[in-house]
Amino acid sequence: MSATSFVIFGATGDLAQRKLLPALYHLRGKGRLPPNMRIVGFSRTPHTDASYRDAMFDAVRATAGLQVTRAQWAAFARNLYYVPGDLDSFDRMLDLKARLELLEGKRRPADRLFYLSIAPGLYETAIASLGATGLAVEDTGWRRIVVEKPFGRDLETALRLNQVVSTVFHEKQVFRIDHYLGKETVQNLLVFRFANAIFEPLWNRNYVNNVQITVAETVTAGDRGAFYDQTGVVRDMVQNHLLQILALVAMEPPSTADAESLRNKKIDVLRAIRHWKPGQARQHAVLGQYNGYRREKGVAPDSATPTSVALRLYIDTWRWHGVPFYLRTGKALAQKLSEVVVQFTCPPHRMFSPESDECLGSNVLSLCLQPNEGAHLRFETKVPDQGMTTQPVDMEFHYQSAFKDRAIPEAYERLLQDALAGDASLFIRSDQIEESWRIVEPLLAPPGGPHGIPVRPYDQRSWGPDAAESLLEQDQRSWLLTCGKQG
Amino acid sequence: MSATSFVIFGATGDLAQRKLLPALYHLRGKGRLPPNMRIVGFSRTPHTDASYRDAMFDAVRATAGLQVTRAQWAAFARNLYYVPGDLDSFDRMLDLKARLELLEGKRRPADRLFYLSIAPGLYETAIASLGATGLAVEDTGWRRIVVEKPFGRDLETALRLNQVVSTVFHEKQVFRIDHYLGKETVQNLLVFRFANAIFEPLWNRNYVNNVQITVAETVTAGDRGAFYDQTGVVRDMVQNHLLQILALVAMEPPSTADAESLRNKKIDVLRAIRHWKPGQARQHAVLGQYNGYRREKGVAPDSATPTSVALRLYIDTWRWHGVPFYLRTGKALAQKLSEVVVQFTCPPHRMFSPESDECLGSNVLSLCLQPNEGAHLRFETKVPDQGMTTQPVDMEFHYQSAFKDRAIPEAYERLLQDALAGDASLFIRSDQIEESWRIVEPLLAPPGGPHGIPVRPYDQRSWGPDAAESLLEQDQRSWLLTCGKQG
């Protein structure tokens, strides 16, 4: 009989409370965790198993809004354990090891997943300790490590972290998480493209005029100011989420849906993104900072940290040559939504308005990632009446109506289950991490330096600095959003 | 100052009451009739102008359900006149001529449109009389004739009728009406195809597996039994409506939307429909007759008139080689609806179910002509949950929600206005009439004869004889309908 240990480093932290424990609770309820799986928390806070269980009962209800009774929690928390300690304490890590061995008993295989739900500054310490104590040795079962973002804070630190990881773990044991990839609608990008015959023939420079990816938040840095001011929007959103979405939209069709096929095609896209020469990035990128950001708690009063960004990227492949990919994301923006917009070319010939030179309503396909999960296809239709006046209208699909009886599961449920199953399809391989940092590195140049990009102020609840609009206007285009109109 | 006369032959008939007068009433209300336009009814029923106006007031309310007050009708009917007489009476036709000249006075041009809303057996008489009395001479203005279907009852009679028409009118004066072409959603077939860039690249044998056109009625022959038994479904529906829809779906893009460009492209399609050799039609056509038809009033007790038909046609062009077009229509069927279904090919490679040989959910585009006017696009999407299970869902567009404030106008409004404006785009040219009869002629062979097609019984409220299903099953396909699911 087998045993599995799910070890959470940073077991009392925000992520554990808000995401990990609720996801594990739901997976247990659905019977989707391995048999004999224990969750073992490790953190500095002093706790016994009992006090940790109680503390987490309160926490998941308060922080995550989990609907759970005391009895239900008790049934779940029977498998919840706690070991107090510091990651850099060899003895405490040996405590953890002993506890795991005790829980595993004679069951074999005895598999262990280590989840780094800790500050990025502690990653190297944790990995070193796992190596030093032998916790990572695959003697009695598999050992896997899940690493939260940010994975490094630039190319150099990412290379170094990958190096450290690789001294203790093989790449196939490493699960770099990007929770965006666990979202249903993000996974559906692949299904949409490759389980249908009609989109792929259009999905190239012959028919696509441009692609736009918007991931917009309305929240400000708020009480995460101290963290955010060290991070900024490029590290927080672009290097990971936006480039991953871009890769899914732009990749060539893989031959199978397995992890290596998918990740090979994704790295191909990232590698093909045109490099900016020094000083060139400012022609293709607009950084912004919302007004009032410098007064947020924990933010430097003269902070130059960007809170919004708009980018123009090119993918130098046969498929995408000359097709701009516009990306934008930020905090304190006008609307909370994530949307991929594929704007198609104009009809080559305008038989209904031959006198007009204007491109009347090119087709637009919008993949609505959130909150109105679904898809819109904008097309021209005849306005009911005499003549042949046309007007753009949308065909729409909404998850809500198609899957009424089926809640969209949380991204973390999917990802934790995949990690436990050893499926790395939705996790980031080391080469992707490094290539993504290579892409965004020019955006990280000091704003005052020779190759820096100015950080422009913008009003809260706007779509960022005016220059973000100009970026597209230069190309006779404009930002499009069609998902928000409904619901 | 100009004058226009809209002359209705058969002015007291069903079509005049149900369609023509209501359409003219609405057009007048919208200010879309020419200035100084008089409507002049001609029929055998004895009426004065006054009694005709009164009779039609009652008729349009009772027969067409037109919402009109006596005062509103009076304002409209001021321009409504009546001349009693027989079409074959030279004197009565001269009465009509004198009346028109009186109404026109000295206004020039004085244009005249003659609407043949009479039994097809009287067409030749009417046209001969128009010729003999000089009513059709374009001396003071244009003269046009609108001819209702059926235009002939087979190739021979259609050729003859075209011949008779051409002795009195030039082709450009002749407006052969097919009210289906006046329907908004039928006109939209052109806009959908040619005002959008994304459908045309898919609209060919590389991506289309098959096309299906269903025009289904639930009504029986009812009190039209005597007429219907002489006509049958092939003459009533296929020769005109279904082949016209087929032509719009299959035509090459015209360079302009003018009448000759459109009609040239349509005739190209009809000419390219593969000819059936004698005896071959029965392999591609299924005729049906609903149970109980022979007991309808006016129907022969041993009638072999078909009331339903299902066809497989091929269009021998570069674009459509090998793509079957399935057509079906009939009375007493399960549902009242008209729908064009384009079923696309399967994805060439199944990365999400490599072990399966089955074509999982090929894409389906449905153009919903009526009653739920709109469009559906069926595509595969990921089922929310673990794994990569996919499921077909529909993107949908509905006229009702897109054009809330805009009623879909009646087909006749569009067509009458076009005829008055001299725009023949939506009318059938003589060569189309003849080619359509050529196509359906094999279906008209006597069922008992050497090349006849058996007429199979079917239950009312079914989809016709089982053989109509087998026709597609032979090709490993089945009839599809997706529009009916909503609304």
Side-chain angles (χ1 to χ4, degrees):
Chain A
M1 201 185 257
S2 69
T4 306
S5 301
F6 189 105
V7 181
I8 303 175
F9 292 126
T12 58
D14 186 60
L15 184 72
Q17 293 175 22
R18 280 195 307 115
K19 296 292 181 186
L20 304 185
L21 289 172
L24 292 168
Y25 176 81
H26 287 306
L27 287 173
R28 172 77 76 196
K30 295 174 184 173
R32 293 184 176 178
L33 293 181
N36 297 310
M37 188 183 105
R38 273 79 172 196
I39 303 161
V40 182
F42 184 92
S43 198
R44 280 179 304 192
T45 317
H47 267 306
T48 62
D49 289 345
S51 73
Y52 180 63
R53 291 168 183 174
D54 283 350
M56 290 302 108
F57 176 60
D58 296 336
V60 294
R61 295 196 308 165
T63 320
L66 190 70
Q67 306 277 334
V68 56
T69 65
R70 186 168 292 278
Q72 288 168 330
W73 184 256
F76 170 75
R78 275 190 296 124
N79 291 304
L80 190 56
Y81 299 88
Y82 191 79
V83 176
D86 256 317
L87 284 163
D88 58 1
S89 159
F90 192 74
D91 288 347
R92 295 293 79 74
M93 289 292 277
L94 286 182
D95 289 352
L96 174 63
K97 190 179 185 193
R99 190 71 187 273
L100 292 181
E101 286 166 356
L102 188 69
L103 290 168
E104 289 159 3
K106 294 208 164 75
R107 294 193 189 86
R108 291 296 178 272
D111 303 321
R112 297 172 190 165
L113 182 148
F114 302 102
Y115 200 110
L116 300 196
S117 175
I118 51 180
L122 296 171
Y123 287 174
E124 293 190 23
T125 309
I127 291 158
S129 289
L130 285 169
T133 52
L135 269 161
V137 177
E138 295 200 307
D139 44 5
T140 59
W142 54 249
R143 306 289 181 259
R144 292 178 194 146
I145 185 166
V146 180
V147 188
E148 270 287 336
K149 69 154 196 174
F151 197 96
R153 50 178 286 111
D154 52 26
L155 180 56
E156 189 187 336
T157 51
L159 284 166
R160 182 183 147 87
L161 183 54
N162 271 336
Q163 171 63 27
V164 170
V165 169
S166 70
T167 57
V168 180
F169 294 97
H170 296 291
E171 179 63 27
K172 72 176 180 57
Q173 296 174 272
V174 185
F175 290 73
R176 294 172 197 80
I177 209 163
D178 182 335
H179 70 268
Y180 250 73
L181 297 184
K183 286 181 189 289
E184 277 296 332
T185 46
V186 173
Q187 295 174 59
N188 192 41
L189 291 172
L190 287 180
V191 172
F192 193 86
R193 290 190 57 198
F194 302 129
N196 293 291
I198 58 171
F199 302 116
E200 196 55 20
L202 303 169
W203 215 258
N204 57 60
R205 65 190 304 275
N206 296 323
Y207 302 107
V208 174
N209 178 282
N210 72 97
V211 177
Q212 303 181 11
I213 301 172
T214 297
V215 175
E217 296 182 291
T218 51
V219 294
T220 61
D223 51 16
R224 293 176 69 230
F227 158 77
Y228 195 84
D229 205 36
Q230 295 302 312
T231 309
V233 69
V234 176
R235 292 185 177 91
D236 195 41
M237 300 296 288
V238 181
Q239 183 269 338
N240 35 57
H241 307 327
L242 272 84
L243 289 180
Q244 285 295 319
I245 295 172
L246 172 71
L248 291 170
V249 171
M251 69 197 275
E252 297 296 319
S255 64
T256 69
D258 69 38
E260 288 321 292
S261 296
L262 284 173
R263 304 201 294 184
N264 287 343
K265 295 300 179 189
K266 282 164 74 173
I267 188 67
D268 285 349
V269 173
L270 297 175
R271 285 223 179 90
I273 292 179
R274 191 178 300 170
H275 292 229
W276 285 315
K277 296 194 185 71
Q280 216 180 24
R282 73 182 67 168
Q283 295 164 31
H284 300 285
V286 174
L287 298 178
Q289 185 187 77
Y290 64 82
N291 291 323
Y293 172 72
R294 295 177 184 183
R295 294 192 301 274
E296 302 274 15
K297 192 176 153 227
V299 170
D302 61 349
S303 170
T305 300
T307 62
S308 84
V309 60
L311 297 179
R312 174 174 45 223
L313 298 176
Y314 287 98
I315 301 173
D316 287 326
T317 60
W318 200 271
R319 183 191 286 261
W320 292 120
H321 180 83
V323 177
F325 282 70
Y326 301 106
L327 278 57
R328 65 175 169 173
T329 182
K331 290 199 181 294
L333 296 182
Q335 218 177 327
K336 175 181 169 59
L337 63 82
S338 300
E339 180 170 342
V340 175
V341 171
V342 179
Q343 184 171 22
F344 293 95
T345 53
C346 291
H349 174 65
R350 282 173 295 280
M351 60 178 274
F352 299 110
S353 53
E355 69 292 345
S356 160
D357 256 359
E358 206 186 339
C359 170
L360 288 169
S362 57
N363 297 118
V364 175
L365 175 70
S366 297
L367 300 164
C368 312
L369 306 184
Q370 63 177 34
N372 301 313
E373 291 87 354
H376 288 215
L377 179 60
R378 180 158 293 178
F379 65 102
E380 291 288 311
T381 198
K382 181 179 174 307
V383 178
D385 206 345
Q386 293 301 119
M388 276 292 190
T389 311
T390 70
Q391 175 183 314
V393 294
D394 283 5
M395 269 194 269
E396 300 185 13
F397 158 70
H398 298 279
Y399 271 69
Q400 259 187 339
S401 50
F403 301 110
K404 282 190 193 76
D405 50 341
R406 200 184 261 277
I408 299 183
E410 272 279 322
Y412 272 94
E413 280 187 46
R414 168 75 188 219
L415 295 172
L416 298 189
Q417 193 179 342
D418 279 3
L420 284 165
D423 181 351
S425 305
L426 303 180
F427 295 84
I428 317 293
R429 209 166 58 186
S430 60
D431 53 355
Q432 286 179 44
I433 290 280
E434 293 166 12
E435 197 62 30
S436 298
W437 280 118
R438 193 269 302 163
I439 294 164
V440 302
E441 189 112 293
L443 306 175
L444 301 173
H451 302 313
I453 300 170
V455 178
R456 300 161 198 269
Y458 64 93
D459 289 336
Q460 295 191 29
R461 295 266 157 186
S462 76
W463 282 109
D466 291 344
E469 307 292 330
S470 315
L471 187 72
L472 272 70
E473 282 163 15
Q474 291 162 12
D475 304 344
Q476 283 80 52
R477 297 192 181 95
S478 58
W479 290 101
L480 298 172
L481 292 174
T482 77
C483 296
K485 290 200 321 173
Q486 290 287 116
Chain B
M1 200 184 256
S2 68
T4 306
S5 300
F6 190 104
V7 181
I8 304 176
F9 293 126
T12 57
D14 187 61
L15 183 72
Q17 293 175 21
R18 281 196 305 117
K19 296 293 181 185
L20 304 185
L21 289 172
L24 292 168
Y25 176 80
H26 287 305
L27 287 173
R28 172 78 75 195
K30 295 174 183 172
R32 292 184 175 178
L33 293 182
N36 298 309
M37 189 183 105
R38 272 79 172 195
I39 304 161
V40 182
F42 184 91
S43 196
R44 279 179 303 191
T45 318
H47 267 306
T48 62
D49 289 347
S51 72
Y52 180 63
R53 292 168 183 175
D54 284 349
M56 289 303 108
F57 176 60
D58 296 335
V60 295
R61 295 197 308 166
T63 321
L66 190 69
Q67 305 277 334
V68 58
T69 66
R70 187 167 291 277
Q72 288 168 329
W73 184 255
F76 169 74
R78 274 189 297 124
N79 290 305
L80 191 56
Y81 300 88
Y82 190 80
V83 176
D86 256 318
L87 284 163
D88 59 1
S89 159
F90 192 73
D91 288 346
R92 295 294 79 74
M93 290 293 277
L94 286 181
D95 289 351
L96 173 64
K97 191 179 185 195
R99 191 71 187 275
L100 293 181
E101 286 167 356
L102 188 70
L103 290 168
E104 289 159 2
K106 295 208 163 73
R107 295 193 189 87
R108 291 294 178 274
D111 302 322
R112 296 174 190 163
L113 182 149
F114 302 102
Y115 200 110
L116 299 195
S117 174
I118 50 180
L122 296 171
Y123 286 174
E124 293 189 21
T125 308
I127 291 158
S129 288
L130 286 169
T133 52
L135 270 161
V137 178
E138 296 199 307
D139 45 6
T140 59
W142 54 249
R143 307 289 180 261
R144 292 178 194 144
I145 184 167
V146 180
V147 188
E148 271 287 336
K149 69 154 196 173
F151 197 95
R153 50 178 290 113
D154 52 25
L155 180 55
E156 188 187 337
T157 50
L159 284 167
R160 181 184 148 86
L161 183 54
N162 271 336
Q163 171 64 26
V164 169
V165 169
S166 70
T167 59
V168 180
F169 295 96
H170 296 293
E171 179 64 26
K172 72 176 181 52
Q173 296 174 274
V174 186
F175 292 72
R176 293 173 197 80
I177 208 163
D178 181 335
H179 71 269
Y180 251 73
L181 297 184
K183 286 181 189 288
E184 277 297 331
T185 46
V186 174
Q187 295 174 60
N188 192 41
L189 291 172
L190 287 181
V191 172
F192 192 87
R193 290 189 57 198
F194 302 129
N196 293 291
I198 58 171
F199 301 116
E200 196 54 19
L202 303 169
W203 215 260
N204 58 60
R205 64 190 303 276
N206 296 322
Y207 302 108
V208 174
N209 180 280
N210 72 97
V211 176
Q212 303 181 9
I213 301 172
T214 297
V215 176
E217 297 182 290
T218 51
V219 295
T220 60
D223 50 17
R224 294 175 70 228
F227 159 78
Y228 195 84
D229 205 37
Q230 295 302 312
T231 309
V233 69
V234 176
R235 293 185 177 94
D236 195 41
M237 299 295 289
V238 180
Q239 183 270 339
N240 35 58
H241 308 327
L242 273 84
L243 288 179
Q244 285 295 318
I245 295 171
L246 171 71
L248 291 170
V249 172
M251 69 197 274
E252 298 297 319
S255 64
T256 69
D258 69 37
E260 288 321 293
S261 295
L262 284 173
R263 304 201 293 183
N264 286 342
K265 295 302 180 189
K266 281 163 74 174
I267 188 67
D268 285 349
V269 173
L270 296 175
R271 285 224 179 88
I273 292 179
R274 191 178 300 170
H275 292 229
W276 284 315
K277 297 194 185 71
Q280 215 179 24
R282 75 182 65 171
Q283 295 164 31
H284 299 286
V286 174
L287 298 177
Q289 185 187 76
Y290 64 82
N291 292 321
Y293 172 72
R294 296 179 184 182
R295 292 191 300 276
E296 303 274 15
K297 194 178 149 226
V299 171
D302 61 348
S303 171
T305 299
T307 62
S308 83
V309 60
L311 297 179
R312 173 174 47 221
L313 298 176
Y314 286 98
I315 301 174
D316 287 326
T317 60
W318 199 273
R319 183 191 286 261
W320 293 120
H321 180 83
V323 177
F325 283 70
Y326 301 106
L327 279 57
R328 64 174 170 173
T329 182
K331 290 201 180 293
L333 296 181
Q335 219 177 328
K336 177 182 168 57
L337 62 82
S338 301
E339 181 170 342
V340 175
V341 172
V342 178
Q343 184 171 23
F344 293 95
T345 52
C346 292
H349 174 65
R350 282 174 294 279
M351 60 178 275
F352 299 110
S353 52
E355 69 292 342
S356 160
D357 255 357
E358 207 185 338
C359 169
L360 289 169
S362 56
N363 298 118
V364 175
L365 175 69
S366 297
L367 299 165
C368 312
L369 307 185
Q370 64 177 32
N372 302 313
E373 291 86 355
H376 289 215
L377 179 60
R378 181 158 292 177
F379 65 102
E380 291 288 310
T381 199
K382 180 179 175 306
V383 178
D385 207 344
Q386 295 299 121
M388 277 292 191
T389 310
T390 70
Q391 175 184 313
V393 295
D394 283 5
M395 272 195 266
E396 299 185 13
F397 158 70
H398 298 279
Y399 272 69
Q400 259 189 339
S401 49
F403 301 110
K404 279 189 194 76
D405 50 342
R406 200 184 262 276
I408 298 184
E410 271 280 321
Y412 272 95
E413 281 187 48
R414 168 74 188 219
L415 295 172
L416 298 189
Q417 194 179 341
D418 279 4
L420 285 165
D423 182 350
S425 305
L426 304 180
F427 295 84
I428 316 293
R429 209 166 57 186
S430 60
D431 54 355
Q432 287 179 43
I433 289 280
E434 293 166 12
E435 198 61 30
S436 298
W437 280 118
R438 194 270 300 163
I439 294 163
V440 302
E441 190 112 293
L443 305 175
L444 301 173
H451 301 313
I453 300 169
V455 177
R456 299 160 199 270
Y458 65 92
D459 288 336
Q460 297 191 28
R461 295 268 156 185
S462 76
W463 282 109
D466 291 344
E469 309 293 329
S470 316
L471 187 72
L472 272 71
E473 282 163 13
Q474 291 162 12
D475 304 344
Q476 283 81 53
R477 298 191 181 97
S478 58
W479 291 101
L480 298 171
L481 293 174
T482 76
C483 296
K485 290 199 324 174
Q486 291 287 115

